[in-house]
């Protein structure tokens, strides 16, 4: 059926967009409230039987649906206004003309989304194919023009378009009454996918599924209530949101591709440039800072792989950092008090307390600054960071963490500068304890005999050596420790990233996977 004639006529310039590029959540609105007169008698509520039909999204946003054309037209424009209706109908005319001129045959179940531009000349649009679960347009267009990330194959692009399809269904879920049976299968499919994801999370530390096992349990409880039930618009809204999130994760992990990402720590984007790690930086940092920066560096490397950030891994990292900084801050205050008290006892001097005092000051100041600077990142709750593809309907704060880690990673030093900064509270505290111990030994040598002070010094040294061997059991002897130190100083630097021409050693990934499985008694598979 052709669009009805109307007056006046507006010119329409069609602009292709995606379901993620609309202005739904970016509109600047202002409302005006005024008194109204309530007519006598019962009030008749508006009916949505005639076209255009009016629906209200579960979030509260109204939208309108036209059914009298060869395809369904959905728009959030207020077609209760005559001028707006005229613009929408002109856009439908323009679309129909383009379909005829290019001999494009629309699928049986097809929707056209229209969004009026800021002026009378433009209108954003995209088509929705409910059978193929994809979006399409009236012209050949590159993915970069639609802000769709680069793909590796046509099937990979189909996954990206399916992601956009579910976003549209999430935003317009209330007018699918005649297709309840078709969408009811979506709940069953989601239940099976999330059940497998929960098992994968429980049996693997490096699963690529976007939800934790506990979140999967809650989602399964939610979906189980709707299995076999009538598919209403509210259920379809959150089902489409979950389906879109899972499809999005499948896109970024190359699900169904020949090079699918099977492990969260698996590098999928080797760079052409070999970045050489400065071994002297890590060597000096490990020696001066008790090896703590290497621990933070490893945590950040495992956290940010393929420019992705997982919610549970980010939460774990933030918890580790916050607990470390808080404990260091608390104990540094106690060491600082002890340092000040020892400076006033017999045999103690201000000069001997200065090193420990400065170490405490470094620990307290760095811990306070790190807590203050990283509080916004700690309060956010990402779901999963993706390569250029936001996750509408879920938490979009992941982009904040991804940008932070991207800026924290240096081209030639990696995460070492950030690791050193994160280590300052703990390192300052440990040095303060060591210097406080030296201060106690000095006071003892002044007040007691030197033999007693030497005995205490040897005892404390043996305790420190024992602690070192407990923390680093791989170092069997002092000779081994010295040999490792010399190798770090003089051996050629080892590339921290593999070039595209350099094959990744299979045993590294195999051993990682085997260790993860053996933890749950699955060794040998």
């Amino acid at each position: 059926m052709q669009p009805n004639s109307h007056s006046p006529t507006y010119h329409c310039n069609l602009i292709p967009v995606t379901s993620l590029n609309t202005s739904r959540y970016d509109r600047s609105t202002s409302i005006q409230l005024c008194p109204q007169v309530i007519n006598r008698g019962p009030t008749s509520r508006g009916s949505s039987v005639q076209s255009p039909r009016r629906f209200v999204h579960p979030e509260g946003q109204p939208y309108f649906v036209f059914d009298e054309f060869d395809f369904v037209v959905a728009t959030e424009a207020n077609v209760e206004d005559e001028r707006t209706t005229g613009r929408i109908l002109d856009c439908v005319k323009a679309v129909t003309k383009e379909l005829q001129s290019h001999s494009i045959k629309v699928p049986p179940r097809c929707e056209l989304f229209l969004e009026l531009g800021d002026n009378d000349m433009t209108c954003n649009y995209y088509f929705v194919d409910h059978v193929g679960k994809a979006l399409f347009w009236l012209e050949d267009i590159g993915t970069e023009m639609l802000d769709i990330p680069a793909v590796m194959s046509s099937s990979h692009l189909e996954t990206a378009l399916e992601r956009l399809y579910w976003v549209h269904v999430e935003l317009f879920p209330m007018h699918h009454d005649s297709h309840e049976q078709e969408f009811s299968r979506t709940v069953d499919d989601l239940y099976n996918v999330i059940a497998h994801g929960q098992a994968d999370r429980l049996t693997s530390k490096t699963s690529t599924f976007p939800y934790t096992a506990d979140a999967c349990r809650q989602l399964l409880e939610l979906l189980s209530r709707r299995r076999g039930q009538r598919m209403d618009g509210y259920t379809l809204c959150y089902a489409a949101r979950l389906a879109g999130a899972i499809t999005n994760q499948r896109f970024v992990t190359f699900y169904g591709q020949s090079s699918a990402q099977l492990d969260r720590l698996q590098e999928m984007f080797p760079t052409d440039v070999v970045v050489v790690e400065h071994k002297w930086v890590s060597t000096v940092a490990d020696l001066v800072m008790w090896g703590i920066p290497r621990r933070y560096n490893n945590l950040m490397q495992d956290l940010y792989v393929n420019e992705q950030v997982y919610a549970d891994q980010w939460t774990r990292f933030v918890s580790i950092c916050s607990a470390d900084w808080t404990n260091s801050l608390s104990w540094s205050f106690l060491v600082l008090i002890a340092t000040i008290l020892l400076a006033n006892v017999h045999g103690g001097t201000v000069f001997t307390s200065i090193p420990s005092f400065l170490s405490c000051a470094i620990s307290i100041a760095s811990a306070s600054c790190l807590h203050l600077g990283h509080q916004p990142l700690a309060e956010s709750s990402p779901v999963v960071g993706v390569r250029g593809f936001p996750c509408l309907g879920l938490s979009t704060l992941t982009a904040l963490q991804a940008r932070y880690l991207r800026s924290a990673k240096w081209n030639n030093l990696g995460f070492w500068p950030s690791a050193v900064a994160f280590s300052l509270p703990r390192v300052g505290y440990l040095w303060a304890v060591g210097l406080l111990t030296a201060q106690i030994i000095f006071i003892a040598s002044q007040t007691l005999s030197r033999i007693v002070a030497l005995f205490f010094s040897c005892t404390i040294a043996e305790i420190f050596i024992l602690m070192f061997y407990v923390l680093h059991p791989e170092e069997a002897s002092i000779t081994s420790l010295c040999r490792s130190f010399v190798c770090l100083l003089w051996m050629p630097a080892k590339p921290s990233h593999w070039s595209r021409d350099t094959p990744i050693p299979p045993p590294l990934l195999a051993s990682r996977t085997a260790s993860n499985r053996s933890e749950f008694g699955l060794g040998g598979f």
Side-chain angles (χ1 to χ4, degrees), residues 314 318 373-382 400-401 404:
W314 175 262
V318 171
H374 294 80
Q375 192 64 29
L377 294 173
E379 292 176 350
S380 57
S381 301
L400 177 64
Q401 284 82 13
Y404 168 78

Side-chain angles (χ1 to χ4, degrees), residues 177-189:
D177 297 341
S178 59
H179 303 281
E180 293 179 3
Q181 187 63 32
E182 176 185 344
F183 283 112
S184 295
R185 293 194 295 268
T186 303
V187 175
D188 295 332
D189 294 339

Side-chain angles (χ1 to χ4, degrees), residues 260-300:
Q261 182 181 354
L262 307 179
D263 189 281
R264 181 178 58 81
L265 301 179
Q266 184 179 357
E267 289 280 359
M268 302 301 294
F269 301 96
T271 178
D272 290 331
V273 180
V274 178
V275 181
V276 179
E277 180 183 353
H278 290 272
K279 285 297 181 180
W280 63 269
V281 174
S282 58
T283 302
V284 173
D286 279 342
L287 290 176
V288 177
M289 307 184 75
W290 307 85
I292 300 176
R294 182 171 296 277
R295 173 171 170 264
Y296 273 108
N297 181 67
N298 293 336
L299 286 174
M300 299 180 75

Side-chain angles (χ1 to χ4, degrees), residues 314-378:
W314 175 262
T315 303
R316 172 177 173 268
F317 174 74
V318 171
S319 300
I320 291 174
C321 293
S322 298
D324 188 21
W325 300 337
T326 301
N327 292 335
S328 300
L329 184 65
S330 303
W331 287 104
S332 294
F333 271 112
L334 296 179
V335 175
L336 180 61
I337 295 173
T339 300
I340 296 175
L341 293 177
L342 287 175
N344 297 318
V345 302
H346 177 69
T349 62
V350 177
F351 177 77
T352 57
S353 63
I354 289 179
S356 180
F357 180 85
L358 292 177
S359 298
C360 291
I362 292 174
S363 178
I364 295 171
S366 59
S368 302
C369 293
L370 288 170
H371 268 301
L372 182 63
H374 294 80
Q375 192 64 29
L377 294 173

Side-chain angles (χ1 to χ4, degrees), residues 92 210 301 322 340 447 510:
V92 175
Q301 284 183 342
S322 298
I340 296 175
T447 57

Side-chain angles (χ1 to χ4, degrees), residues 38-43:
I38 304 176
N39 297 327
R40 69 183 65 179
T43 303

